[in-house]
Amino acid sequence: NGKPPQLLLVCPPAIGDMSRAPEIAEKINDAQSRSTALPGRYEAVAAQLGCAYLNSQEVVIPSPIDGVHLEAGEHTKLGKAIAAAVNKMAA
């Protein structure tokens, strides 16, 4: 229709406890607090760009194994949340 595509900006999941993965923790300085600051920043960018926004930190939690990755069930929850957001945009 000659219009630009609609965009959905998704804020990354938070970083959790990385004490069980010290080799990762040492590479990402102050990861937990820095990651929890992202939603406000991503939301501001989405508003500035006029695009849809999804805060994945409200949907999923990081794995207790390493504090970074998502377990299978969390991937499912995130996929469903993204699908719902896209469906809402298409309505």
Side-chain angles (χ1 to χ4, degrees):
N1 296 338
K3 296 179 184 178
Q6 294 181 357
L7 299 176
L8 172 64
L9 185 61
V10 180
C11 179
I15 300 292
D17 177 17
M18 293 190 297
S19 62
R20 294 178 64 189
E23 68 286 351
I24 297 173
E26 68 184 29
K27 294 177 185 177
I28 310 172
N29 188 27
D30 200 24
Q32 281 182 294
S33 64
R34 288 173 55 201
S35 72
T36 57
L38 290 176
R41 293 177 181 167
Y42 271 66
E43 188 171 23
V45 170
Q48 191 176 36
L49 296 174
C51 64
Y53 170 71
L54 174 66
N55 179 2
S56 74
Q57 294 185 18
E58 295 177 346
V59 178
V60 296
I61 57 170
S63 170
I65 294 171
D66 65 10
V68 177
H69 297 94
L70 300 178
E71 298 291 326
E74 297 303 299
H75 278 285
T76 300
K77 290 190 322 190
L78 182 57
K80 288 179 179 181
I82 290 173
V86 170
N87 285 333
K88 184 177 177 183
M89 291 168 55

